[in-house]
Amino acid sequence: MRYAVMAAGVLVALAAGGPAGAQGDMIAERRAGLGGLGQTMEAVANTVRSGGDTRALVPRIEAMSAFMSTLPNLVPAPSLTPPQAQGTNPGQTRALAAIDANRADFQTRANNMQTAFATLRTAAAAGSISPDLLRSTGGTCGACHQQYRAR
């Protein structure tokens, strides 16, 4: 009997921790993806500045486009921060609560990034990313940051 009660307690604890653990996984996946996006943009910028071959960047750009297709699903409401400085609650990030109120716009901005990455990918494959295209792609990233990321 004592073991049955302990086993039931463990199951309840695991069930209660499941969503929180899943949220933590989503946040970790989001952070890793956004970090990779920043690293890819930096690699593209460095390659363009140095006049290097952009064709080698195609797989990284494709990976970032694929990540952007998943981003809207990686932003659970409990991880969002009120429009203040970085949240202090466990699991809070610099993603603003405005995302939850404007999910359709957030999805549109993620779609815009996928489109920008498709254009960047095409130019990279041709070996011809221009500084203007790079700025335009960065501006598409920045438009989301201005609206949905705490400073």
Side-chain angles (χ1 to χ4, degrees), residues 81-115:
T81 301
Q84 305 169 357
Q86 173 94 15
T88 56
N89 295 327
Q92 273 192 319
T93 66
R94 290 189 291 169
L96 293 174
I99 292 171
D100 208 36
N102 300 300
R103 288 279 175 183
D105 181 60
F106 188 70
Q107 179 67 58
T108 297
R109 290 173 191 248
N111 293 344
N112 291 345
M113 272 308 304
Q114 285 181 274
T115 301

Side-chain angles (χ1 to χ4, degrees), residues 39-49 57 61 120 129 134:
Q39 291 168 356
T40 297
M41 290 299 290
E42 187 175 327
V44 171
N46 289 338
T47 302
V48 169
R49 269 190 235 114
L57 298 168
I61 295 168
L120 191 66
I129 296 176
L134 184 59

